[in-house]
Amino acid sequence: MKQARIIGTGHYVPENVVKNADLEKLMDTNDAWIQERTGIKERRHIVPGGEDTTSTMGAKAARMAIQNAGIAVDDIDFIVFATLSPDYYFPGPGVMLQQQLGFREEIGALDVRNQCSGFIYSLSIADQFIKTGMYKTVLVVGSEVHSGGLDMTTRGRGVSVIFGDGAGAVVMQATEEQGRGVLSTHLHSEGQHAEELALIAPATTDWIPNYIERNDPEDIRYYPYMNGNFVFKNAVMRFQQVIGEALTANAYSADQIDMLIPHQANLRISQFIQKQMNLPDDRVFNNIQRYGNTTAASIPLALSEAVQEGKVKEGDLICLAAFGSGFTWASALIRW
Ligand code: UT7
């Protein structure tokens, strides 16, 4: 059976840097609280009305991944695009990416809605298509524009200081080499906690005309909600479980991981997992300090930077893991 390898990585973040001190001007928060509770120093926000959108940022990350893979756009057979913040309610950004990258062929484009786990779910989909031989080369993109939808007042501070905008992408390709590339992926969900981290409206049960008619600025269902403590406790538990599952499935132990790239939800979560797994600092990659939580973009963005910095080398055992809204959680083990 064929294996799927990542042959190119790329990322893009908007130029506009929003420091914790900038948020102090908008809401009752402070740099010390944000750094102590989350590790975040700054994040990127798009400039409203500018050229950056979820799809255009995804396209920029994709172009870098395609270039690093040393292939042409038209070598790609299929697109998988993960986001919770699409340009439009529908269609999803996959088709926009197909248009923006200038494909000659009318290749398929799939949109994935699994929030913070979206990239690993997408990687898993690409892996299955490649393993079965349906596609040879698949582009997987994660991109988010959170900034436009956050409640930038004190009311929303528990969420809005955490999230940032950005994009990451990988090119995956079939290889005959066994034991190389994606070794396994592990996907989970627990829908009973759907409302613990969610953006409820607009919903098909309460559609836009009702919203316009009510015109109620206190209707916070139009902003993301997170039960922070509850999400934190579940994240810590599920991260450990799903990483353990990936290791067991491949008969590896934690000390054999060369690089763990966790979804960048909170530096404290990453550090807790690192401690539990007894991993040294140089085997866990974090960049939440500079970008905040970029949801589906966070893992490919971190992976791309880790590759760029020479921290991921050929033959390394790489572990990706994510937890987030749904709840959904996932892991992937990759022999680079
Ligand atoms: O990516 C998806 C997965 N996401 C996660 O895994 C995130 C999980 N949760 C978290 O990262 C943390 O729970 C948060 C960073 C969201 C919050 O940290 P916490 O240590 O759980 O703080 P808390 O919610 O318990 O709030 C502590 C205090 C509260 O004040 P009182 O009630 O103690 O007076 C909050 O009102 O901090 C207050 N607070 C803030 N203060 C300053 C909440 N947000 C802020 C803020 N600035 N931005």
Side-chain angles (χ1 to χ4, degrees):
M1 190 157 53
K2 287 185 176 26
Q3 297 280 118
R5 275 188 65 197
I6 294 176
I7 59 162
T9 53
H11 65 275
Y12 172 81
V13 290
E15 274 176 29
N16 178 31
V17 177
V18 178
K19 293 187 174 296
N20 292 344
D22 298 321
L23 298 177
E24 289 176 13
K25 294 173 201 148
L26 301 171
M27 62 187 84
D28 179 12
T29 189
N30 58 79
D31 178 49
W33 189 97
I34 300 172
Q35 285 209 47
E36 191 189 307
R37 306 283 175 136
T38 70
I40 300 166
K41 293 181 172 46
E42 59 189 43
R43 73 288 292 141
R44 304 296 176 99
H45 283 181
I46 64 159
V47 176
E51 69 172 41
D52 286 337
T53 68
T54 294
S55 68
T56 61
M57 294 199 312
K60 284 180 182 165
R63 279 192 201 99
M64 180 175 163
I66 292 165
Q67 192 179 3
N68 286 338
I71 62 164
V73 167
D74 286 309
D75 292 330
I76 291 165
D77 305 314
F78 192 68
I79 298 165
V80 190
F81 198 129
T83 190
L84 63 67
S85 51
D87 297 29
Y88 302 152
Y89 204 90
F90 74 82
V95 295
M96 292 168 188
L97 190 84
Q98 189 269 341
Q99 187 264 327
Q100 288 164 19
L101 290 181
F103 284 95
R104 271 201 300 267
E105 301 284 331
E106 286 121 5
I107 62 164
L110 175 70
D111 296 294
V112 171
R113 289 288 307 270
N114 285 78
Q115 299 69 247
C116 303
S117 311
F119 179 75
I120 301 182
Y121 268 76
S122 300
L123 183 99
S124 180
I125 293 165
D127 185 38
Q128 310 315 310
F129 275 134
I130 289 172
K131 275 192 177 128
T132 58
M134 180 154 172
Y135 298 122
K136 182 172 168 239
T137 309
V138 181
L139 175 64
V140 182
V141 178
S143 179
E144 305 282 3
V145 172
H146 289 304
S147 54
L150 298 171
D151 180 358
M152 299 301 274
T153 69
T154 299
R155 183 179 62 184
R157 66 182 181 175
V159 171
S160 48
V161 302
I162 298 170
F163 291 92
D165 303 341
V170 302
V171 175
M172 294 175 67
Q173 196 165 63
T175 175
E176 298 292 344
E177 229 181 308
Q178 294 306 302
R180 192 78 193 275
V182 178
L183 303 180
S184 67
T185 53
H186 307 269
L187 314 176
H188 295 280
S189 72
E190 193 180 29
Q192 82 180 89
H193 300 310
E195 282 80 23
E196 302 293 350
L197 175 47
L199 199 161
I200 304 291
T204 44
T205 47
D206 185 15
W207 209 233
I208 294 286
N210 304 344
Y211 169 63
I212 295 169
E213 200 176 304
R214 279 198 306 271
N215 190 22
D216 176 8
E218 299 306 318
D219 190 350
I220 55 165
R221 295 171 312 135
Y222 289 83
Y223 291 116
Y225 165 79
M226 175 163 70
N227 181 352
N229 288 304
F230 186 72
V231 174
F232 193 104
K233 283 180 194 134
N234 277 270
V236 165
M237 172 179 67
R238 297 307 190 183
F239 264 113
Q240 290 182 86
Q241 276 179 1
V242 82
I243 294 169
E245 187 182 343
L247 291 171
T248 305
N250 295 280
Y252 284 122
S253 54
D255 61 331
Q256 290 175 287
I257 295 176
D258 294 300
M259 187 59 80
L260 170 66
I261 302 186
H263 162 56
Q264 302 290 291
N266 183 322
L267 190 60
R268 280 164 45 214
I269 296 177
S270 295
Q271 288 169 340
F272 184 86
I273 301 158
Q274 176 182 346
K275 206 169 157 208
Q276 293 296 311
M277 293 175 63
N278 208 15
L279 288 172
D281 286 351
D282 62 352
R283 292 198 190 183
V284 183
F285 191 86
N286 291 302
N287 61 8
I288 190 171
Q289 301 92 327
R290 288 175 286 124
Y291 302 129
N293 180 344
T294 58
T295 310
S298 94
I299 290 179
L301 173 53
L303 180 64
S304 176
E305 284 202 339
V307 170
Q308 205 171 40
E309 292 171 23
K311 292 178 175 166
V312 170
K313 296 175 293 300
E314 201 162 320
D316 279 356
L317 187 65
I318 310 298
C319 183
L320 312 179
F323 173 87
S325 165
F327 292 151
T328 61
W329 60 102
S331 65
L333 213 53
I334 301 168
R335 180 62 71 186
W336 202 260

